[in-house]
Amino acid sequence: MITSIFYFIFSQFDSRTTPPRNMEALRPKGRTTATHIPPLHTAQLLPIVPFNRVFASVYLCALLAFFYHHLQRLISSTTPISSFINLILFISDLVLAFMWSTAQAARLYPIQRKEFPENLDKVITRSDYPAIDVFICTADPSKEPPMSVVNTALSVMSYDYPTEKLSVYVSDDGGSALTLFAFMEAAKFAAHWLPFCRENNILQRSPESYFESNYSTSSQTVEIKKLYESMKMRVEHVMEKGKINDEYIRSHEECQVFKQWTHKFTIANHPTIIQVILANNKSKDAGGNFMPNLIYISREKSSNTHHRFKAGASNVLLRVSAIMTNAPIILVLDCDMYSNDPQTLLRMLCYYSDPKIRSKYSYIQFPQYFHGVNKNDMYACQFKRLFQIQPMGFDGLGGANHVGTNCFFSRRAFFGGPSNFVSPEIPELSPSHVVDKPIQSSEVMALAYHVAGCNYENQTTWGYKMGYRYGSLVEDFFTGYQLRCEGWRSMFCNPYRPAFLGNAPISLVDSLNQQKRWVVGVLEVGFSKYSPIIYGIRRVGLLMSLLYSQYAFWPIWSIPITTYAFLPQLALINQVRIFPKVSEPWFLLYPFLFLGAYGQDYFDFVSAKGTFQMWWNDQRIWTVRGVSCFMFGSLEFLLKSLGISTLGFSVTSKVVDDEQSKRYDQGIFDFGVPSPMFVPLTMAALINLVALILGLAQVLKGGNSLEGLVIQMFIAGFWVVNCWPIYEAMVYRKDNGKLPVKITLTAAFLTWALYIVA
C-alpha cells in the first residue's frame, strides 16, 4: 500500500519525465527490405528497481517518524543551549533528508542500454555515415602536457570510420606555440600510426597506452615505436627548453606559422590563430589513404575583453567548425580522455541512425573511466555515482547529465529546442548549412578568423540561447541542464569495454581543488534564476529537478558533515546527551537510517564493479570533502556573490611527480602541499580523537552515563577510523607527503580554542 502511494505521487508529479512503458528501443529504418530488421540497440530497467521503490517507501516513513521526534525535542527544549543544539541538528538532518530524496530519484527508473554495432551495415551504408567533428580542449601546457593531448587526438583520428567524414579540432586556450608544435609532430607520426592500427586491428589506439600494454612484437611494431619515441623526445625537449629551436622547423611554411608568436603575444592578449595541420582532401598517410582533418585553434584574446574560460572556447569551436566542416554530430573530449574503443563511433550511430532519436535527443553521454587509479581508489577520483551509477537514473527519466567530456552532441541542439530553432546571425553558422568549399580556401579561412574574434559575440545570443551556456564555471552541467529544460532528451551509454579512459588526480590537494571549482560552479546554477527547484521543476518535472538538485546543491553536504564532525563530539566531551538512550524506542531510528542509507549506497557501488575497500575510501573522501573543499568552495561562492575577488579558475594539473606517484601507488595519502583546506580536516580528526578518548575514560570509570552517549561514542569512533591517514601523516610519517607542521599546529590551537569555548 505504501509503495503504491509513493509510486503514484511521484508519477503524477513527474509525468513529463516518466519513461516509455516499452523499454525495447526502436529499430531504425534502413535500406534493407527484409521483414526482420536486426536491432541496433535495446534498453531495459534494472532488476533492482522494485526493491528500490519498496525501500524508498519504508525509508520515507522512517524519516517522517524521525522528524516528528526532532520536532518534539525542539518544542520541549528548556534551555537556550539545548534549543540551539537541537535546531542545528534539525537543519543538518533536513539537508541529509533532502539529499537522500534527490538520490532516490535516480533509483526509480534506472535503465541499461546495449548497442549492436555488428548490425549497423544491415541498416546503413558507410557512404551514409554522417560527418563528425571532434572537439579537444586544452589550456595550459605546463599542467596539461601536450603529449597527453596528442595521444587523445591520435586515438580519435584512428577510429574505424571513413576518414573523409572525420575532423579533429584542438582548442588551445593557452595559445601556446609548444602545443601547436606538438601537433605538427603528431601529424607526421599519424601518417604511420593510422594505417598501422587499421592493418593490425589495434584496440588501444592511443600510442602511449598501446606501448604500455602487452602488445605483440614485430618488426613493424618496433619501427612504429621508434617513430613514436622520436616524436615524444622532440616534443618533450621543446617543452623543457620552453621554446622551439630552429633545428625542429623543417620548412618555410612552419617558420611562417611560428612567427605569429611575437614578443607581444601573451596568454591574455593575442590574435586568433587557426592552423590547418592536416586536410582530408590533401594529406595522405603512408598507405596512400587520406587522413582526417586536423585543425589547431587559439581564439583571439584582448586584455580589455572579458573571457569566459572554457564555455567561450567551446563556442568558438562551434562557430569555426561550422564554417569549415559543419558536421551534424560533435564529439567533445577533455584533453587527456583518449579513445579506448575504435568502434565507439559505430556504437553512437546505433542511436543516431534512427531519425526519431536524432530529432529528439541532444546528446549521447558516455561515462568517464580512468586508468592509473590505484587499487582501492583512495581519493575516490572515479566518481562512480556521478559518472556511472546515477546517469542510468537520469537516462530512465529521459535526460542523462552532461559531464563535460565523452559526449556526442547533435549540432542542431545548440540552436534552440527541438521545435524552437534559434537562427544564428549569419547563415554559415546554421546547422543546415552545407560547406562546399575546401577548408583552406581564402573565403573559409577569412570567415573562420572572423567568428573566432574576441568581440564577435557582442550583441549576439551566444552563450544564452545558442551554444554552450555562460553563467557557471561548470558549463558542461549548466549546458546539459539547459538543453533538457528546452525540451531535448539525452541518453547514457555504458558499454562493457570503456569507450574512453582519462587521467585522475593523484594528489589530494589537486583533487580537492578540482572539487572546490565544481562547488563554485554548481552553486552558481543552484542559486540562479535557473535553479532546479524553481525553474527546473516547471520545465522538467519533479523527479528530474530533484536529480539536477543533487548536483546543483551538492556543496550543502558540508552542513551535516561539519555538524556531525564537531557538535556530538563537543557534547560528548562535556558529557551532554543529545541523542536518545539505548533503552528508548526512538533510538532504533538512528541505526536504521544510518545502516539503510549506507547499505543501499554500498550495494549501488558494488553493482558498478566496485569493491568494499573502494567504497570505504569513497565514503571517507566524502567526509573529507565535506569539511574541506565543500566548505571552502561555498565560502568562495559567497564572496564572489558579494563582489569580493577570489582566485578564480585553476586548471587541474595532469603532470605526474615520481615521488608523489610512488606514494599514490602504495595507497599513502599525500598532504605535502600546505593547503588551508587541511586545517578544518585536521581539527575534525583531533576533536574526534579527544572525544573518543574521554568517552572511553568515562566508560572505564563506570556509571550509567554510557547508555545515553552510545550514538555520540559511535560517531566519534567512526570519524577516528576514517581519519586514520591523518593521524599517520601527523605523527608517524617522515616523507614529503606528511602533514605540514604548521597545519598541525594551527589545527591544534584552533581545536584547543574550540574546546575552551564549548
Side-chain angles (χ1 to χ4, degrees), residues 323 428 437-449:
I323 300 301
E428 289 84 355
K437 296 183 178 66
I439 61 175
Q440 289 178 299
S441 67
S442 57
E443 299 95 332
V444 168
M445 292 299 292
L447 191 52
Y449 270 91

Side-chain angles (χ1 to χ4, degrees), residues 86-277:
N86 286 326
L87 179 61
I88 295 298
L89 289 174
F90 181 72
I91 293 172
S92 298
D93 290 339
L94 273 179
V95 172
L96 287 173
F98 172 72
M99 298 306 285
W100 171 84
S101 69
T102 63
Q104 295 315 300
R107 293 183 171 118
L108 297 180
Y109 294 106
I111 64 172
Q112 194 166 32
R113 297 183 182 274
K114 187 175 181 180
E115 306 81 40
F116 304 95
E118 64 274 12
N119 295 334
L120 199 60
D121 62 350
K122 300 172 185 176
V123 176
I124 184 173
T125 62
R126 285 178 66 88
S127 61
D128 291 330
Y129 284 4
I132 298 175
D133 288 340
V134 182
F135 293 173
I136 302 173
C137 296
T138 185
D140 187 344
S142 66
K143 292 185 176 181
E144 298 171 337
M147 278 307 302
S148 176
V149 192
V150 159
N151 273 278
T152 297
L154 289 170
S155 71
V156 296
M157 290 171 66
S158 53
Y159 268 133
D160 288 338
Y161 206 77
T163 55
E164 70 276 8
K165 294 178 179 289
L166 192 60
S167 301
V168 178
Y169 292 84
V170 179
S171 169
D172 177 17
D173 219 40
S176 172
L178 307 181
T179 301
L180 176 56
F181 172 79
F183 273 92
M184 286 182 165
E185 291 295 309
K188 298 165 189 172
F189 173 71
H192 303 277
W193 177 249
L194 269 60
F196 171 75
C197 290
R198 285 195 300 267
E199 292 167 12
N200 297 279
N201 196 27
I202 303 299
L203 280 179
Q204 295 170 306
R205 299 196 177 180
S206 160
E208 190 73 23
S209 174
Y210 175 73
F211 291 123
E212 288 177 351
S213 67
N214 296 321
Y215 61 92
S216 58
T217 304
S218 66
S219 58
Q220 186 185 21
T221 307
V222 171
E223 184 62 29
I224 288 291
K225 186 174 183 180
K226 286 181 180 178
L227 290 173
Y228 177 71
E229 293 295 340
S230 176
M231 174 194 70
K232 184 177 180 180
M233 181 189 68
R234 290 192 296 273
V235 172
E236 291 183 346
H237 183 263
V238 166
M239 284 295 299
E240 185 180 344
K241 294 293 184 182
K243 64 177 181 178
I244 304 166
N245 295 333
D246 292 341
E247 61 185 289
Y248 292 127
I249 299 178
R250 302 176 182 178
S251 67
H252 175 72
E253 181 182 356
E254 289 184 2
C255 182
Q256 292 300 114
V257 169
F258 291 114
K259 280 186 176 180
Q260 297 176 88
W261 275 267
T262 65
H263 68 281
K264 296 181 179 180
F265 193 109
T266 66
I267 292 178
N269 197 341
H270 64 78
T272 298
I273 296 177
I274 301 176
Q275 182 64 32
V276 179
I277 303 173

Side-chain angles (χ1 to χ4, degrees), residues 465-485:
K465 293 184 178 180
M466 291 189 298
Y468 276 83
R469 306 307 162 86
Y470 302 145
S472 172
L473 281 177
V474 285
E475 77 294 326
D476 48 2
F477 168 74
F478 190 37
T479 299
Y481 166 61
Q482 285 280 57
L483 292 177
R484 187 69 183 90
C485 290

